Amino acid sequence: MAQNGEQMVQENKMGVMPVDRLLINMSLPMMISMLVQALYNIVDSIFVSQINEYALRAVSLAFPIQSLMIAVAVGTAVGVNAFLSRTLGEGKYEKAGIIAGNGIFLAAMSYFLFLLIGIFVSRPFFATQTDIAQVRDYGVTYLTICCSAGIGIFLQTTAERLLQATGKTFLTMITQGIGAIINLILDPILIFGYFGMPQMGVAGAAAATVTGQIIAALIAIIFNLRFNREIHFSFKGLKPNGRLILQIYKVGAPSIVVQAIGSVMTYGMNLILSAFGAAQTVFGIYFKLQSFVFMPAFGLNNGMVPIVAYNYGAGNRQRVTDTIKSSVKYGVGIMLIGLAIMQLFPEQLLTMFNATGEILEIGVPALRIISLCFCFAGFSIVAGSSFQALGNGVYSMLVSVARQLCVLLPAAKLLSLSGNVKLIWCAFPIAEIVGTALSVLFLISIYKKVIVNIGGNSCNF
């Protein structure tokens, strides 16, 4: 058994394939699948915008709760992924199976939490953000469906991270792609009532989203059972293990907090922008558009995390540092492409959302100003994932708190006092500069405390 485990470690590509090729091999499928995810998020809003601007605004105002769902799903799965990859790197395959089972248990518990939020919190949540009754009604309908039928997002995310932990990223591209395509197909059918279906409006957009997530989750689970031979699933693993859950959340909890802070920031910005007409709608459109830039960067990081965690567990310091450096190079490159697109084509991007004259007037300068933060964000994203992979996710949390709560929201509030909405957007690049500076300091710290102690051979970072 030990010999078989040792052979599996030796054959695992995360320990032997050249780093640049491995990073592309691991990340490219996820980058493509996350681009598809970003595309269907954008198309979803484009379809909703054809109903009216209030429908689009309602879906935008729902984003903080949806983002919180994703934060819990992804953060938990990141903790499972990093812990599982490190355990596999150490050759402990039985323990890996139990970790995977506990990850599925946590996904189910997370869903029940948001089921309650969907039922009891949706209406008061919208009441705090807008006085427009039609926006509130649209939003409550949309958010209640997304939360109450949201089991798919939690199971899908966990099952995909189990595949990523063993290097099977191509399979995650298939599951995410199928879920996105199903959503794209169902969106116009359910929103506008094609092919004999009832015209459901914003409820149709929500139904299309959760249906795609549930089908993708089922496919990801089947892929794990059929192809993920390094993880041995059993009912024993579904029994909650307090010690393992604490280890999962040691990395996962800071990741949840990092993304949850984004939800708080979005909610706070919506409150600040409520006095500036269509600015809330513009902010919602920006978030849909920026996902098309950030999602590939996150896909790169999803490929990077198991590589760093695996080689950390295997004691290979050089591969850890090479992976981080290559990820920074590619991550910054992706963000610079996004910056160029936002600077050159803001009006064309907004027009896709049936933008009115007011939205264009507010939105064109907004996209150009906010996107200035992209050139700094690429580095910070990679640094944050490096902290998580090396078991120091609290650094990511501190950077996110400082950037979004300590700098961005206070700066936006102060700038809003001028009465000029253009100045509010300047808070984003200001906050990102602060976040990048902190990321550099923490990366130096983690190098001195953790990376230099990996393995026995010296390396240059």
Side-chain angles (χ1 to χ4, degrees):
M1 179 65 99
Q3 185 176 0
N4 184 47
E6 182 180 351
Q7 184 179 2
M8 291 179 75
V9 173
Q10 290 174 345
E11 291 176 351
N12 194 304
K13 63 183 179 181
M14 289 190 286
V16 296
M17 185 181 288
V19 167
D20 262 9
R21 182 153 63 93
L22 174 62
L23 185 60
I24 293 172
N25 181 274
M26 290 281 287
S27 301
L28 190 58
M30 285 183 284
M31 291 169 69
I32 293 171
S33 63
M34 294 188 85
L35 269 173
V36 175
Q37 293 267 323
L39 178 63
Y40 92 67
N41 283 334
I42 290 174
V43 174
D44 193 49
S45 292
I46 290 173
F47 282 128
V48 170
S49 71
Q50 302 306 309
I51 301 173
N52 56 50
E53 184 193 331
Y54 285 166
L56 177 59
R57 188 178 302 184
V59 171
S60 299
L61 293 179
F63 183 78
I65 297 292
Q66 287 185 290
S67 179
L68 188 60
M69 288 180 69
I70 295 171
V72 173
V74 172
T76 302
V78 164
V80 172
N81 189 348
F83 190 18
L84 189 59
S85 294
R86 189 164 72 245
T87 302
L88 289 172
E90 295 167 349
K92 300 176 181 177
Y93 294 95
E94 182 178 354
K95 181 180 178 181
I98 298 174
I99 293 170
N102 272 251
I104 295 171
F105 168 80
L106 293 174
M109 293 300 100
S110 299
Y111 160 66
F112 284 118
L113 170 64
F114 281 91
L115 171 63
L116 297 175
I117 290 175
I119 295 172
F120 297 109
V121 178
S122 296
R123 187 162 295 278
F125 172 74
F126 272 91
T128 64
Q129 296 186 91
T130 179
D131 295 326
I132 303 173
Q134 192 174 5
V135 174
R136 290 201 305 266
D137 291 341
Y138 279 143
V140 171
T141 298
Y142 180 83
L143 190 58
T144 300
I145 295 172
C146 287
C147 290
S148 301
I151 182 65
I153 186 64
F154 295 101
L155 291 179
Q156 177 189 352
T157 304
T158 298
E160 286 173 349
R161 289 306 192 280
L162 298 181
L163 293 168
Q164 292 169 14
T166 55
K168 297 172 179 63
T169 54
F170 181 75
L171 296 179
T172 66
M173 181 182 73
I174 295 175
T175 60
Q176 291 186 3
I178 290 175
I181 290 169
I182 289 170
N183 192 354
L184 285 172
I185 293 172
L186 291 180
D187 257 335
I189 294 174
L190 298 181
I191 292 173
F192 304 114
Y194 296 145
F195 306 112
M197 296 297 292
Q199 185 176 342
M200 298 173 65
V202 293
T209 296
V210 297
T211 300
Q213 292 168 348
I214 290 170
I215 293 175
L218 292 173
I219 294 172
I221 290 170
I222 292 170
F223 281 167
N224 271 286
L225 294 174
R226 292 195 61 183
F227 303 114
N228 215 346
R229 304 300 182 190
E230 291 178 84
I231 300 176
H232 304 290
F233 297 94
S234 67
F235 287 107
K236 177 184 175 183
L238 294 174
K239 181 180 179 181
N241 182 309
R243 184 175 57 82
L244 295 183
I245 290 173
L246 285 174
Q247 287 295 313
I248 289 170
Y249 281 118
K250 181 181 178 182
V251 173
S255 179
I256 292 172
V257 172
V258 166
Q259 296 190 64
I261 287 168
S263 297
V264 174
M265 181 277 292
T266 305
Y267 178 72
M269 284 296 298
N270 282 329
L271 295 181
I272 292 170
L273 295 171
S274 62
F276 294 88
Q280 283 181 327
T281 305
V282 169
F283 186 54
I285 292 174
Y286 160 74
F287 257 95
K288 297 293 183 181
L289 292 172
Q290 64 97 30
S291 70
F292 206 69
V293 181
F294 279 79
M295 282 296 192
F298 292 145
L300 172 72
N301 282 5
N302 288 340
M304 179 199 76
V305 166
I307 299 172
V308 172
Y310 182 94
N311 287 284
Y312 177 32
N316 195 325
R317 189 199 315 172
Q318 189 65 55
R319 288 180 67 82
V320 169
T321 58
D322 287 348
T323 302
I324 293 173
K325 287 190 287 187
S326 292
S327 298
V328 169
K329 176 177 64 178
Y330 293 128
V332 172
I334 291 169
M335 300 306 289
L336 289 176
I337 293 172
L339 171 64
I341 293 171
M342 289 277 193
Q343 294 295 319
L344 295 173
F345 308 108
E347 187 171 349
Q348 292 85 342
L349 293 171
L350 291 166
T351 302
M352 295 190 303
F353 296 87
N354 202 25
T356 63
E358 184 184 10
I359 290 175
L360 287 172
E361 183 182 356
I362 297 174
V364 169
L367 295 188
R368 284 183 170 147
I369 294 170
I370 298 175
S371 63
L372 293 174
C373 73
F374 288 2
C375 47
F376 304 102
F379 174 83
S380 296
I381 290 171
V382 173
S385 292
S386 301
F387 304 151
Q388 293 165 4
L390 294 169
N392 287 264
V394 68
Y395 284 170
S396 298
M397 181 180 69
L398 292 174
V399 171
S400 188
V401 168
R403 185 177 73 245
Q404 299 187 77
L405 299 187
C406 298
V407 179
L408 196 154
L409 282 181
K413 182 61 178 177
L414 288 173
L415 293 169
S416 72
L417 299 178
S418 69
N420 185 347
V421 70
K422 290 182 182 179
L423 292 180
I424 298 176
W425 312 124
C426 296
F428 285 87
I430 291 170
E432 202 61 55
I433 291 171
V434 173
T436 300
L438 285 175
S439 295
V440 170
L441 292 175
F442 286 145
L443 195 58
I444 292 171
S445 174
I446 204 170
Y447 174 73
K448 293 178 179 178
K449 293 179 180 178
V450 178
I451 295 177
V452 293
N453 296 316
I454 300 174
N457 297 322
S458 61
C459 67
N460 296 318
F461 184 59

